[in-house]
Amino acid sequence: MPVQKSIKASLALSASIIALPLGLSLGVSSAAQAQEVSDEIIVTATRRAESIQDIPLNISALGGEEIAKQGLDDLSELAAFVPGLNIADQGGRDGNRIVVRGLNVENIAQNFGQANGGGTVATYVGEIPAYVDLRLNDLERVEVLLGPQGTLYGSGTMGGAIRYIPNKPDFDGDMMELRADAYSYSEGDGISSDIGITANAAISDNFAIRASMDLQNDKGFIDYPYVVARPGFSEPDPDFTDPTALAGFNALEDANTEDIWSGRVAARWQPSNSLDATLTYYFQNGDFGGRNTTSFRNTTVPSGRYEYAARVPEPAERNDELLALEIVADLGFAELTSASGIGGTEFNGQRDQTDLLITLEYYYEFYPTFTGFTFEDEKTEIINQELRLVSTSDGPLSWIVGGFYNENEFTGLSTEFTPGIGAFNADFGFRQDLNDLEYFATSWTNLEEKALFGEVGYDVSEAWNVTVGARYYDYVFETADQTEFPYFTTAADFPGPYTRADIKNQLTLAENQSFDDFLFKVNTSYDFGDHNIYATFSQGFRVGASNAGDPCPDVFVPGNQALCLLAPGQQFGPGANDIAVINERDYLPDTVDNYELGAKTTWLDGALKLNAAVFFMDWKDPQVGTISVNAGTSITVNAGAAESKGVELSADWDLTDRFNLRGSFSHTKAELTEGVDSLVTTIVTTGGFGTDFENGEAGDRLPGSPETQFSVLGSYSHPLTNGDNIFVDAGYSWQGNVLQTVGQRGGSIVLPSFGRANAAIGYERDNWSIVGYVDNIFDDFAETSAFSNPRFSQTIEGANVRYFRTNVLAPRTIGARMKYRFD
């Protein structure tokens, strides 16, 4: 469906609903007005406004006031408050990898192609499913739902769902808030800043506008000491012990800069007590100077803990935007909600590709000054429409019914250059007319998903409730791609590259796969007054897709430079390497069944809240990240089965009126229960690289998240006689070690455990506050994820392979932030 037509149809459908309830006089349900009451957060995760402590589900939430007070900037900083949630923070350029309850079997630093946060956890901006690492400014709250949410939230919620809930425009009056933050890293130079403004204008009693804008300028802390002066001509691998040789590099200091301009503008209209409509435009534009990564563990090039041995700069730009229309109408017997959204993400950037090309051992390593780099240009467009009815009448029976439509279209282009090597190999017939273009690949995919869903709840008694739910989904996935190695083509076969905007004129979509199925949920809970116990069975799924690349020929000769993917059972290579591999071309949907027992309890007249959950998750056909046999490209395949089981605990205790103590703990054991044949890894052998095959076996630990993690936060408030307030916050979070990849017992590394301590002291008045803070007090070095493995660290024909690297968190950070509000 063309984007423009889908937008018009989606918005027209929502707009048509406005006319339905204009004559109704009943008040809009509180589900449209969820808010933080005292210190208790009201959430709408179940599509009804309820106290978080009353919902018989494992859900965590943090209110906007607490987010602002703690100075939380993004989702990775919020994760310490949520048991069972782990986020591999890879910096603004490469994004976060979100893992809930250990549901992850891909390379946790995989960052090519569409950004999706890891695929097993969906993020929602308001009511719209859209992956964006949203800046946490001017939010009412953030909700984190743990466990599969397939019935109400659909695809990609096998592990859970994260909902960013913004503050809506307020009819009660005008307001303006100014905020500023200045901070400095112990390993970087300069003062970073983050400034913002929020304004609310009540135009009339039923119309208001709210706008929020923020600009972050982060000075960075990662150095690129080995950037060559001229790729393909400058020596990238001199004698690193000779200071004169190092003078040939254009070193970049504090290269991982971030300039992020974000905000939103919302208009809210309530023409009657029965109708409430909000139109919101969100945007977030980021310019990134480099990666938050280090070559500290790589033995081929001397590097410090905050140094990365890239040969070329790796800037990138990511622009996110979303236009959302939410309409809530009270029909008397039920509340009707329409959520429409259109938006997308554009990403472009440059990366060092030298190491991959060297390890292929085609010919690149024989060029004495070889350096290769790749440009990526990608765009994702989404269209979303959901309609749902939520019953509002009193009585033992309650229900939800709805329909869902989502379209996700992706176009991507990868252009790889190897300066100088064309002329170096001219005698071998290399083309000389394409400016050293070595590799050109395009991809176009379109995913269309439709669903019908519903839940029915029944109060068997005043204390006992039973809820059942189901979702029917149907999706179609279409693909088209093209791969060229220009050095070996003719002008007739490949005239030259084209832009991403031309992809739809060059390729034709074809159906790749189509699936439909049902998901189910059963929940029962019993309320003992101050305590609530519950049991849940829930299901979740994630759509399948295809790996980009052409099918391999029936008779395939290894060593030829031809990116191709093997069919199930297709043989690769003669002799000892003759092995039948699993399907490299397509991977199917994976599903999870979740069994959970939980308790939400309140003690000491409400001063102490203790919540606990134990779970078992049965994961079928998990999608596993690996690389293809030929050319070593990143692909996804299906394994047999996996499981995750564990316990999650959280506590919130008001020891006194002034002192609050919070904590969380989780322990998760996630592992394969069935093997997966022929996970492929390029393993270092003596004097070169060879292709090896390692099977994932039952009992192998799943990668990407720690088995154990905990956090504790204390907050003390001291009121002054003049009405002002001084507060002190201090917290510590710790996570255990993390396995990098699955099925590579000899090649995967284990990233060590680490802890982070933070502290802040602040002064508050009615309309302003100022806070001084220190993050990572003890300046601990923390690695969150890894790319490749240490067996790549060797020298081939004088070329140092620097593929292996780890992503790191920021060093000690000292700063101050302030806020001033005008009413």
Side-chain angles (χ1 to χ4, degrees), residues 598-676:
K600 294 188 172 183
T601 67
T602 303
W603 310 83
L604 305 178
D605 295 326
L608 174 62
K609 299 180 180 68
L610 296 175
N611 298 335
V614 293
F615 63 88
F616 173 80
M617 306 181 78
D618 183 15
W619 194 359
K620 300 178 180 65
D621 303 315
Q623 296 173 10
V624 182
T626 183
I627 61 175
S628 63
V629 172
N630 180 51
T633 57
S634 298
I635 61 171
T636 300
V637 299
N638 289 105
E643 69 178 26
S644 177
K645 51 191 175 184
V647 59
E648 296 159 350
L649 307 172
S650 64
D652 190 327
W653 187 10
D654 292 326
L655 282 81
T656 70
D657 291 340
R658 300 180 181 182
F659 183 40
N660 175 267
L661 188 65
R662 281 176 287 167
S664 65
F665 171 86
S666 64
H667 180 78
T668 304
K669 186 175 183 181
E671 60 186 20
L672 290 177
T673 54
E674 294 181 19
V676 52

Side-chain angles (χ1 to χ4, degrees), residues 393-466:
S393 57
D394 294 331
L397 186 67
S398 61
W399 49 267
I400 300 173
V401 64
F404 173 85
Y405 174 83
N406 184 267
E407 184 176 0
N408 182 303
E409 184 178 61
F410 170 81
T411 52
L413 180 148
S414 181
T415 311
E416 188 173 284
F417 295 89
T418 54
I421 205 169
F424 182 76
N425 290 317
D427 293 341
F428 295 94
F430 279 37
R431 284 183 66 175
Q432 304 293 305
D433 61 331
L434 294 178
N435 193 30
D436 288 311
L437 174 64
E438 186 271 346
Y439 173 81
F440 179 78
T442 60
S443 178
W444 179 17
T445 67
N446 189 76
L447 172 67
E448 186 177 50
E449 179 187 357
K450 305 172 185 176
L452 297 173
F453 61 89
E455 288 189 356
V456 177
Y458 184 75
D459 293 330
V460 181
S461 68
E462 290 186 2
W464 183 19
N465 175 269
V466 177

Side-chain angles (χ1 to χ4, degrees), residues 693-704:
F693 303 85
E694 295 185 359
N695 296 336
E697 298 179 356
D700 282 355
R701 176 183 169 187
L702 300 188

Side-chain angles (χ1 to χ4, degrees), residues 795-813:
T795 301
I796 303 299
E797 299 295 334
N800 293 301
V801 179
R802 314 173 192 178
Y803 220 15
F804 175 53
R805 54 183 172 85
T806 58
N807 295 307
V808 297
L809 296 180
R812 181 191 295 119
T813 308

Side-chain angles (χ1 to χ4, degrees), residues 717-736:
S717 177
H718 182 76
L720 303 177
T721 56
N722 64 355
D724 296 349
N725 185 60
I726 296 175
F727 69 87
V728 178
D729 290 341
Y732 182 79
S733 60
W734 182 91
Q735 70 170 53

Side-chain angles (χ1 to χ4, degrees), residues 228 230-232 234 236 311-312 352 354 367 369-373 417-419:
V228 298
R230 187 183 177 192
S234 302
R311 302 164 187 81
V312 297
D352 188 346
T354 310
Y367 182 42
T369 56
F370 174 64
T371 296
F373 56 92
F417 295 89
T418 54

Side-chain angles (χ1 to χ4, degrees), residues 743-774:
Q744 296 185 28
R745 290 164 300 284
S748 182
I749 68 167
V750 176
L751 299 175
S753 59
F754 63 85
R756 310 275 284 185
N758 304 323
I761 182 170
Y763 190 97
E764 298 175 310
R765 301 197 77 172
D766 289 339
N767 61 339
W768 63 267
S769 64
I770 185 167
V771 181
Y773 63 91
V774 182

